[in-house]
Amino acid sequence: MVPSKVTKPSIRFKAKLFRPAMEPARPRADQREKGESWTFLILPKNASAKLPSRGMTAIEGTINGFPFQAALEPDGQKSHWLKVDRKLSKSASAEAGDMVTLEITPAGKDTGPEVPTDLRKALAADPKARALWSDITTNARRDWIHWITSPKQLETRARRIKNACSMLATGKRRVCCFDRSGFYSKSMSAPKAAI
C-alpha cells in the first residue's frame, strides 16, 4: 500500500489592506517611498488561531488567487499581520483599502529568517557563536533576530548583538523568556494604519 500524501488544511479568510502610517512627523524621502510602496493586513483572530505558532510563521498560499510565500509576523494581540509588498499587491490586483481573499497554509519548508548584516558580521568574527548559530533551530534564530532588532536605539541593538554572540559562544541556544507572540512583552505589533 502506498502512503498517501498528507495535505495541510487551508485557512481561508478575507482582510482589508492598509497603508502604513508614517512614523515621524516629517518623514525623510526614503521613508515616504517605503510607506507608499507596501501595504499590510491583519489576520482575523480565528484564522491566526489555526496556525502552529503565535510567533513568526512561514506560510504559502494565494491572495486574490495569486500564489505567494511569506512570513507572518505576530501583532502583539495574539494574531498575525502580513506585509504585502508592491509587487504582490499589483499581482493580486489590490491596493490599500481593498478587501482581499486569502487562502494560506503553513509553509512546507521553512527557509529561515534573513540575518541582518550587523549580526552576520558579528557571527563571522566569533567562531564559537557561529558554530552554535548553525546548529540551532529556525525558530530559535528568529527569536534571536527579533530580540536583537526590536529595540529602537542603535546602542541597545549593538549591545544585544554583543550579548547574543557571547551567550551563543557559551552554548545558550535560546533567548530566555522570549515571548514569541509579543502579547506579554508588547515588543511586537502590526504597523499603525494610515487614516
PDB file of all heavy atoms in Angstrom, residues 106-141:
ATOM      1  N   PRO A 106       0.579  26.731   6.544  1.00  0.00           N
ATOM      2  CA  PRO A 106       1.968  26.846   6.978  1.00  0.00           C
ATOM      3  C   PRO A 106       2.868  26.292   5.877  1.00  0.00           C
ATOM      4  O   PRO A 106       2.532  25.313   5.217  1.00  0.00           O
ATOM      5  CB  PRO A 106       2.027  25.974   8.238  1.00  0.00           C
ATOM      6  CG  PRO A 106       0.608  25.955   8.738  1.00  0.00           C
ATOM      7  CD  PRO A 106      -0.237  25.981   7.498  1.00  0.00           C
ATOM      8  N   ALA A 107       3.998  26.934   5.654  1.00  0.00           N
ATOM      9  CA  ALA A 107       4.914  26.526   4.584  1.00  0.00           C
ATOM     10  C   ALA A 107       5.477  25.140   4.859  1.00  0.00           C
ATOM     11  O   ALA A 107       5.745  24.791   6.012  1.00  0.00           O
ATOM     12  CB  ALA A 107       6.048  27.532   4.444  1.00  0.00           C
ATOM     13  N   GLY A 108       5.643  24.378   3.793  1.00  0.00           N
ATOM     14  CA  GLY A 108       6.191  23.030   3.909  1.00  0.00           C
ATOM     15  C   GLY A 108       7.611  23.037   4.424  1.00  0.00           C
ATOM     16  O   GLY A 108       7.972  22.308   5.327  1.00  0.00           O
ATOM     17  N   LYS A 109       8.435  23.912   3.867  1.00  0.00           N
ATOM     18  CA  LYS A 109       9.824  24.006   4.301  1.00  0.00           C
ATOM     19  C   LYS A 109      10.102  25.447   4.665  1.00  0.00           C
ATOM     20  O   LYS A 109       9.940  26.351   3.854  1.00  0.00           O
ATOM     21  CB  LYS A 109      10.770  23.562   3.193  1.00  0.00           C
ATOM     22  CG  LYS A 109      12.218  23.612   3.625  1.00  0.00           C
ATOM     23  CD  LYS A 109      13.150  23.183   2.529  1.00  0.00           C
ATOM     24  CE  LYS A 109      14.578  23.287   3.040  1.00  0.00           C
ATOM     25  NZ  LYS A 109      15.531  23.271   1.984  1.00  0.00           N
ATOM     26  N   ASP A 110      10.512  25.652   5.895  1.00  0.00           N
ATOM     27  CA  ASP A 110      10.812  26.991   6.372  1.00  0.00           C
ATOM     28  C   ASP A 110      12.256  27.319   6.021  1.00  0.00           C
ATOM     29  O   ASP A 110      13.176  26.659   6.487  1.00  0.00           O
ATOM     30  CB  ASP A 110      10.598  27.038   7.886  1.00  0.00           C
ATOM     31  CG  ASP A 110      10.604  28.440   8.430  1.00  0.00           C
ATOM     32  OD1 ASP A 110      10.925  29.375   7.677  1.00  0.00           O
ATOM     33  OD2 ASP A 110      10.301  28.599   9.618  1.00  0.00           O
ATOM     34  N   THR A 111      12.446  28.328   5.197  1.00  0.00           N
ATOM     35  CA  THR A 111      13.799  28.682   4.760  1.00  0.00           C
ATOM     36  C   THR A 111      14.568  29.465   5.808  1.00  0.00           C
ATOM     37  O   THR A 111      15.768  29.623   5.699  1.00  0.00           O
ATOM     38  CB  THR A 111      13.744  29.509   3.463  1.00  0.00           C
ATOM     39  OG1 THR A 111      12.947  30.665   3.706  1.00  0.00           O
ATOM     40  CG2 THR A 111      13.167  28.703   2.325  1.00  0.00           C
ATOM     41  N   GLY A 112      13.882  29.975   6.803  1.00  0.00           N
ATOM     42  CA  GLY A 112      14.555  30.687   7.868  1.00  0.00           C
ATOM     43  C   GLY A 112      14.596  32.179   7.632  1.00  0.00           C
ATOM     44  O   GLY A 112      14.342  32.659   6.529  1.00  0.00           O
ATOM     45  N   PRO A 113      14.912  32.916   8.685  1.00  0.00           N
ATOM     46  CA  PRO A 113      14.908  34.373   8.605  1.00  0.00           C
ATOM     47  C   PRO A 113      16.161  34.913   7.931  1.00  0.00           C
ATOM     48  O   PRO A 113      17.203  34.253   7.894  1.00  0.00           O
ATOM     49  CB  PRO A 113      14.883  34.785  10.078  1.00  0.00           C
ATOM     50  CG  PRO A 113      15.619  33.683  10.769  1.00  0.00           C
ATOM     51  CD  PRO A 113      15.246  32.429  10.016  1.00  0.00           C
ATOM     52  N   GLU A 114      16.054  36.124   7.412  1.00  0.00           N
ATOM     53  CA  GLU A 114      17.223  36.801   6.858  1.00  0.00           C
ATOM     54  C   GLU A 114      18.028  37.359   8.028  1.00  0.00           C
ATOM     55  O   GLU A 114      17.484  38.035   8.896  1.00  0.00           O
ATOM     56  CB  GLU A 114      16.775  37.937   5.942  1.00  0.00           C
ATOM     57  CG  GLU A 114      17.934  38.624   5.269  1.00  0.00           C
ATOM     58  CD  GLU A 114      17.481  39.690   4.290  1.00  0.00           C
ATOM     59  OE1 GLU A 114      16.377  39.566   3.743  1.00  0.00           O
ATOM     60  OE2 GLU A 114      18.248  40.644   4.091  1.00  0.00           O
ATOM     61  N   VAL A 115      19.307  37.057   8.042  1.00  0.00           N
ATOM     62  CA  VAL A 115      20.165  37.504   9.136  1.00  0.00           C
ATOM     63  C   VAL A 115      20.638  38.925   8.824  1.00  0.00           C
ATOM     64  O   VAL A 115      21.232  39.167   7.775  1.00  0.00           O
ATOM     65  CB  VAL A 115      21.378  36.560   9.314  1.00  0.00           C
ATOM     66  CG1 VAL A 115      22.268  37.033  10.455  1.00  0.00           C
ATOM     67  CG2 VAL A 115      20.905  35.132   9.555  1.00  0.00           C
ATOM     68  N   PRO A 116      20.366  39.889   9.725  1.00  0.00           N
ATOM     69  CA  PRO A 116      20.800  41.263   9.486  1.00  0.00           C
ATOM     70  C   PRO A 116      22.317  41.345   9.328  1.00  0.00           C
ATOM     71  O   PRO A 116      23.063  40.568   9.929  1.00  0.00           O
ATOM     72  CB  PRO A 116      20.351  42.013  10.743  1.00  0.00           C
ATOM     73  CG  PRO A 116      19.308  41.149  11.363  1.00  0.00           C
ATOM     74  CD  PRO A 116      19.648  39.736  10.981  1.00  0.00           C
ATOM     75  N   THR A 117      22.757  42.288   8.526  1.00  0.00           N
ATOM     76  CA  THR A 117      24.184  42.431   8.209  1.00  0.00           C
ATOM     77  C   THR A 117      25.050  42.572   9.455  1.00  0.00           C
ATOM     78  O   THR A 117      26.094  41.929   9.568  1.00  0.00           O
ATOM     79  CB  THR A 117      24.402  43.638   7.282  1.00  0.00           C
ATOM     80  OG1 THR A 117      23.584  43.460   6.121  1.00  0.00           O
ATOM     81  CG2 THR A 117      25.846  43.768   6.854  1.00  0.00           C
ATOM     82  N   ASP A 118      24.624  43.407  10.420  1.00  0.00           N
ATOM     83  CA  ASP A 118      25.443  43.616  11.612  1.00  0.00           C
ATOM     84  C   ASP A 118      25.578  42.340  12.440  1.00  0.00           C
ATOM     85  O   ASP A 118      26.651  42.029  12.959  1.00  0.00           O
ATOM     86  CB  ASP A 118      24.945  44.778  12.465  1.00  0.00           C
ATOM     87  CG  ASP A 118      23.451  44.760  12.759  1.00  0.00           C
ATOM     88  OD1 ASP A 118      22.740  43.856  12.267  1.00  0.00           O
ATOM     89  OD2 ASP A 118      22.986  45.672  13.484  1.00  0.00           O
ATOM     90  N   LEU A 119      24.536  41.550  12.527  1.00  0.00           N
ATOM     91  CA  LEU A 119      24.611  40.280  13.239  1.00  0.00           C
ATOM     92  C   LEU A 119      25.477  39.282  12.461  1.00  0.00           C
ATOM     93  O   LEU A 119      26.287  38.565  13.049  1.00  0.00           O
ATOM     94  CB  LEU A 119      23.218  39.703  13.477  1.00  0.00           C
ATOM     95  CG  LEU A 119      23.162  38.313  14.127  1.00  0.00           C
ATOM     96  CD1 LEU A 119      23.876  38.301  15.478  1.00  0.00           C
ATOM     97  CD2 LEU A 119      21.711  37.854  14.267  1.00  0.00           C
ATOM     98  N   ARG A 120      25.307  39.242  11.143  1.00  0.00           N
ATOM     99  CA  ARG A 120      26.111  38.334  10.314  1.00  0.00           C
ATOM    100  C   ARG A 120      27.606  38.607  10.490  1.00  0.00           C
ATOM    101  O   ARG A 120      28.410  37.695  10.636  1.00  0.00           O
ATOM    102  CB  ARG A 120      25.712  38.494   8.841  1.00  0.00           C
ATOM    103  CG  ARG A 120      26.262  37.398   7.962  1.00  0.00           C
ATOM    104  CD  ARG A 120      25.797  37.465   6.510  1.00  0.00           C
ATOM    105  NE  ARG A 120      24.402  37.837   6.344  1.00  0.00           N
ATOM    106  CZ  ARG A 120      23.984  38.921   5.703  1.00  0.00           C
ATOM    107  NH1 ARG A 120      24.840  39.757   5.161  1.00  0.00           N
ATOM    108  NH2 ARG A 120      22.706  39.177   5.592  1.00  0.00           N
ATOM    109  N   LYS A 121      27.985  39.897  10.527  1.00  0.00           N
ATOM    110  CA  LYS A 121      29.401  40.268  10.715  1.00  0.00           C
ATOM    111  C   LYS A 121      29.898  39.845  12.099  1.00  0.00           C
ATOM    112  O   LYS A 121      31.011  39.346  12.237  1.00  0.00           O
ATOM    113  CB  LYS A 121      29.581  41.771  10.529  1.00  0.00           C
ATOM    114  CG  LYS A 121      29.485  42.206   9.084  1.00  0.00           C
ATOM    115  CD  LYS A 121      29.638  43.714   8.965  1.00  0.00           C
ATOM    116  CE  LYS A 121      29.497  44.144   7.518  1.00  0.00           C
ATOM    117  NZ  LYS A 121      29.561  45.611   7.375  1.00  0.00           N
ATOM    118  N   ALA A 122      29.059  40.041  13.108  1.00  0.00           N
ATOM    119  CA  ALA A 122      29.461  39.659  14.470  1.00  0.00           C
ATOM    120  C   ALA A 122      29.625  38.149  14.584  1.00  0.00           C
ATOM    121  O   ALA A 122      30.576  37.668  15.210  1.00  0.00           O
ATOM    122  CB  ALA A 122      28.431  40.162  15.478  1.00  0.00           C
ATOM    123  N   LEU A 123      28.735  37.394  13.968  1.00  0.00           N
ATOM    124  CA  LEU A 123      28.852  35.928  13.996  1.00  0.00           C
ATOM    125  C   LEU A 123      30.091  35.466  13.234  1.00  0.00           C
ATOM    126  O   LEU A 123      30.771  34.523  13.651  1.00  0.00           O
ATOM    127  CB  LEU A 123      27.598  35.277  13.415  1.00  0.00           C
ATOM    128  CG  LEU A 123      26.338  35.386  14.264  1.00  0.00           C
ATOM    129  CD1 LEU A 123      25.110  34.959  13.462  1.00  0.00           C
ATOM    130  CD2 LEU A 123      26.456  34.561  15.545  1.00  0.00           C
ATOM    131  N   ALA A 124      30.397  36.130  12.136  1.00  0.00           N
ATOM    132  CA  ALA A 124      31.583  35.770  11.344  1.00  0.00           C
ATOM    133  C   ALA A 124      32.862  35.975  12.147  1.00  0.00           C
ATOM    134  O   ALA A 124      33.851  35.252  11.964  1.00  0.00           O
ATOM    135  CB  ALA A 124      31.625  36.589  10.054  1.00  0.00           C
ATOM    136  N   ALA A 125      32.837  36.941  13.054  1.00  0.00           N
ATOM    137  CA  ALA A 125      34.021  37.243  13.862  1.00  0.00           C
ATOM    138  C   ALA A 125      34.143  36.364  15.108  1.00  0.00           C
ATOM    139  O   ALA A 125      35.153  36.427  15.813  1.00  0.00           O
ATOM    140  CB  ALA A 125      33.996  38.716  14.280  1.00  0.00           C
ATOM    141  N   ASP A 126      33.138  35.550  15.384  1.00  0.00           N
ATOM    142  CA  ASP A 126      33.136  34.726  16.591  1.00  0.00           C
ATOM    143  C   ASP A 126      32.851  33.266  16.220  1.00  0.00           C
ATOM    144  O   ASP A 126      31.693  32.864  16.125  1.00  0.00           O
ATOM    145  CB  ASP A 126      32.083  35.255  17.566  1.00  0.00           C
ATOM    146  CG  ASP A 126      32.152  34.602  18.936  1.00  0.00           C
ATOM    147  OD1 ASP A 126      32.553  33.414  19.038  1.00  0.00           O
ATOM    148  OD2 ASP A 126      31.775  35.278  19.915  1.00  0.00           O
ATOM    149  N   PRO A 127      33.899  32.448  16.034  1.00  0.00           N
ATOM    150  CA  PRO A 127      33.706  31.069  15.567  1.00  0.00           C
ATOM    151  C   PRO A 127      32.795  30.216  16.463  1.00  0.00           C
ATOM    152  O   PRO A 127      32.003  29.430  15.960  1.00  0.00           O
ATOM    153  CB  PRO A 127      35.118  30.495  15.525  1.00  0.00           C
ATOM    154  CG  PRO A 127      36.028  31.675  15.502  1.00  0.00           C
ATOM    155  CD  PRO A 127      35.307  32.786  16.185  1.00  0.00           C
ATOM    156  N   LYS A 128      32.894  30.375  17.789  1.00  0.00           N
ATOM    157  CA  LYS A 128      32.062  29.574  18.688  1.00  0.00           C
ATOM    158  C   LYS A 128      30.589  29.955  18.542  1.00  0.00           C
ATOM    159  O   LYS A 128      29.719  29.085  18.481  1.00  0.00           O
ATOM    160  CB  LYS A 128      32.506  29.744  20.142  1.00  0.00           C
ATOM    161  CG  LYS A 128      33.788  29.015  20.479  1.00  0.00           C
ATOM    162  CD  LYS A 128      34.099  29.157  21.945  1.00  0.00           C
ATOM    163  CE  LYS A 128      35.360  28.408  22.294  1.00  0.00           C
ATOM    164  NZ  LYS A 128      35.684  28.534  23.718  1.00  0.00           N
ATOM    165  N   ALA A 129      30.312  31.245  18.497  1.00  0.00           N
ATOM    166  CA  ALA A 129      28.931  31.704  18.334  1.00  0.00           C
ATOM    167  C   ALA A 129      28.391  31.261  16.975  1.00  0.00           C
ATOM    168  O   ALA A 129      27.253  30.801  16.871  1.00  0.00           O
ATOM    169  CB  ALA A 129      28.852  33.224  18.472  1.00  0.00           C
ATOM    170  N   ARG A 130      29.210  31.385  15.938  1.00  0.00           N
ATOM    171  CA  ARG A 130      28.795  30.992  14.594  1.00  0.00           C
ATOM    172  C   ARG A 130      28.483  29.500  14.528  1.00  0.00           C
ATOM    173  O   ARG A 130      27.514  29.077  13.899  1.00  0.00           O
ATOM    174  CB  ARG A 130      29.871  31.367  13.578  1.00  0.00           C
ATOM    175  CG  ARG A 130      29.470  31.082  12.149  1.00  0.00           C
ATOM    176  CD  ARG A 130      30.518  31.519  11.134  1.00  0.00           C
ATOM    177  NE  ARG A 130      31.773  30.817  11.323  1.00  0.00           N
ATOM    178  CZ  ARG A 130      32.931  31.382  11.664  1.00  0.00           C
ATOM    179  NH1 ARG A 130      33.022  32.683  11.848  1.00  0.00           N
ATOM    180  NH2 ARG A 130      34.018  30.649  11.818  1.00  0.00           N
ATOM    181  N   ALA A 131      29.283  28.687  15.205  1.00  0.00           N
ATOM    182  CA  ALA A 131      29.068  27.233  15.196  1.00  0.00           C
ATOM    183  C   ALA A 131      27.713  26.886  15.823  1.00  0.00           C
ATOM    184  O   ALA A 131      26.970  26.059  15.288  1.00  0.00           O
ATOM    185  CB  ALA A 131      30.194  26.525  15.927  1.00  0.00           C
ATOM    186  N   LEU A 132      27.394  27.501  16.952  1.00  0.00           N
ATOM    187  CA  LEU A 132      26.112  27.204  17.583  1.00  0.00           C
ATOM    188  C   LEU A 132      24.958  27.771  16.753  1.00  0.00           C
ATOM    189  O   LEU A 132      23.926  27.127  16.604  1.00  0.00           O
ATOM    190  CB  LEU A 132      26.046  27.750  19.016  1.00  0.00           C
ATOM    191  CG  LEU A 132      24.798  27.310  19.783  1.00  0.00           C
ATOM    192  CD1 LEU A 132      24.730  25.792  19.912  1.00  0.00           C
ATOM    193  CD2 LEU A 132      24.733  27.952  21.148  1.00  0.00           C
ATOM    194  N   TRP A 133      25.154  28.962  16.174  1.00  0.00           N
ATOM    195  CA  TRP A 133      24.123  29.561  15.310  1.00  0.00           C
ATOM    196  C   TRP A 133      23.756  28.593  14.185  1.00  0.00           C
ATOM    197  O   TRP A 133      22.589  28.439  13.848  1.00  0.00           O
ATOM    198  CB  TRP A 133      24.632  30.884  14.733  1.00  0.00           C
ATOM    199  CG  TRP A 133      23.642  31.578  13.858  1.00  0.00           C
ATOM    200  CD1 TRP A 133      23.556  31.524  12.502  1.00  0.00           C
ATOM    201  CD2 TRP A 133      22.573  32.422  14.291  1.00  0.00           C
ATOM    202  NE1 TRP A 133      22.507  32.289  12.057  1.00  0.00           N
ATOM    203  CE2 TRP A 133      21.886  32.848  13.135  1.00  0.00           C
ATOM    204  CE3 TRP A 133      22.135  32.860  15.533  1.00  0.00           C
ATOM    205  CZ2 TRP A 133      20.785  33.698  13.190  1.00  0.00           C
ATOM    206  CZ3 TRP A 133      21.047  33.711  15.585  1.00  0.00           C
ATOM    207  CH2 TRP A 133      20.375  34.116  14.421  1.00  0.00           C
ATOM    208  N   SER A 134      24.728  27.926  13.625  1.00  0.00           N
ATOM    209  CA  SER A 134      24.483  26.974  12.539  1.00  0.00           C
ATOM    210  C   SER A 134      23.720  25.746  13.011  1.00  0.00           C
ATOM    211  O   SER A 134      23.093  25.062  12.206  1.00  0.00           O
ATOM    212  CB  SER A 134      25.809  26.526  11.921  1.00  0.00           C
ATOM    213  OG  SER A 134      26.467  27.629  11.360  1.00  0.00           O
ATOM    214  N   ASP A 135      23.761  25.491  14.311  1.00  0.00           N
ATOM    215  CA  ASP A 135      23.160  24.277  14.861  1.00  0.00           C
ATOM    216  C   ASP A 135      21.774  24.485  15.478  1.00  0.00           C
ATOM    217  O   ASP A 135      21.065  23.522  15.721  1.00  0.00           O
ATOM    218  CB  ASP A 135      24.110  23.686  15.920  1.00  0.00           C
ATOM    219  CG  ASP A 135      23.709  22.291  16.340  1.00  0.00           C
ATOM    220  OD1 ASP A 135      23.435  21.455  15.463  1.00  0.00           O
ATOM    221  OD2 ASP A 135      23.633  22.048  17.567  1.00  0.00           O
ATOM    222  N   ILE A 136      21.380  25.737  15.726  1.00  0.00           N
ATOM    223  CA  ILE A 136      20.085  25.970  16.376  1.00  0.00           C
ATOM    224  C   ILE A 136      18.942  25.939  15.359  1.00  0.00           C
ATOM    225  O   ILE A 136      19.164  26.014  14.154  1.00  0.00           O
ATOM    226  CB  ILE A 136      20.067  27.290  17.184  1.00  0.00           C
ATOM    227  CG1 ILE A 136      20.298  28.512  16.277  1.00  0.00           C
ATOM    228  CG2 ILE A 136      21.064  27.231  18.335  1.00  0.00           C
ATOM    229  CD1 ILE A 136      20.206  29.851  16.996  1.00  0.00           C
ATOM    230  N   THR A 137      17.730  25.829  15.863  1.00  0.00           N
ATOM    231  CA  THR A 137      16.547  25.727  15.001  1.00  0.00           C
ATOM    232  C   THR A 137      16.221  27.063  14.338  1.00  0.00           C
ATOM    233  O   THR A 137      16.655  28.128  14.790  1.00  0.00           O
ATOM    234  CB  THR A 137      15.312  25.276  15.807  1.00  0.00           C
ATOM    235  OG1 THR A 137      14.972  26.324  16.731  1.00  0.00           O
ATOM    236  CG2 THR A 137      15.556  23.971  16.542  1.00  0.00           C
ATOM    237  N   THR A 138      15.419  26.984  13.305  1.00  0.00           N
ATOM    238  CA  THR A 138      14.960  28.191  12.608  1.00  0.00           C
ATOM    239  C   THR A 138      14.201  29.103  13.554  1.00  0.00           C
ATOM    240  O   THR A 138      14.402  30.320  13.554  1.00  0.00           O
ATOM    241  CB  THR A 138      14.068  27.800  11.415  1.00  0.00           C
ATOM    242  OG1 THR A 138      14.833  26.981  10.536  1.00  0.00           O
ATOM    243  CG2 THR A 138      13.567  29.009  10.663  1.00  0.00           C
ATOM    244  N   ASN A 139      13.332  28.533  14.376  1.00  0.00           N
ATOM    245  CA  ASN A 139      12.588  29.360  15.335  1.00  0.00           C
ATOM    246  C   ASN A 139      13.508  30.028  16.339  1.00  0.00           C
ATOM    247  O   ASN A 139      13.290  31.184  16.716  1.00  0.00           O
ATOM    248  CB  ASN A 139      11.527  28.538  16.072  1.00  0.00           C
ATOM    249  CG  ASN A 139      10.275  28.340  15.251  1.00  0.00           C
ATOM    250  OD1 ASN A 139      10.011  29.108  14.326  1.00  0.00           O
ATOM    251  ND2 ASN A 139       9.509  27.325  15.568  1.00  0.00           N
ATOM    252  N   ALA A 140      14.537  29.329  16.784  1.00  0.00           N
ATOM    253  CA  ALA A 140      15.489  29.932  17.719  1.00  0.00           C
ATOM    254  C   ALA A 140      16.210  31.100  17.047  1.00  0.00           C
ATOM    255  O   ALA A 140      16.402  32.160  17.650  1.00  0.00           O
ATOM    256  CB  ALA A 140      16.493  28.892  18.215  1.00  0.00           C
ATOM    257  N   ARG A 141      16.602  30.930  15.782  1.00  0.00           N
ATOM    258  CA  ARG A 141      17.252  32.035  15.055  1.00  0.00           C
ATOM    259  C   ARG A 141      16.316  33.232  14.938  1.00  0.00           C
ATOM    260  O   ARG A 141      16.728  34.369  15.118  1.00  0.00           O
ATOM    261  CB  ARG A 141      17.681  31.583  13.656  1.00  0.00           C
ATOM    262  CG  ARG A 141      18.879  30.691  13.660  1.00  0.00           C
ATOM    263  CD  ARG A 141      19.363  30.441  12.233  1.00  0.00           C
ATOM    264  NE  ARG A 141      20.203  29.268  12.256  1.00  0.00           N
ATOM    265  CZ  ARG A 141      19.973  28.171  11.572  1.00  0.00           C
ATOM    266  NH1 ARG A 141      18.955  28.092  10.741  1.00  0.00           N
ATOM    267  NH2 ARG A 141      20.789  27.139  11.670  1.00  0.00           N
TER     268      ARG A 141
END
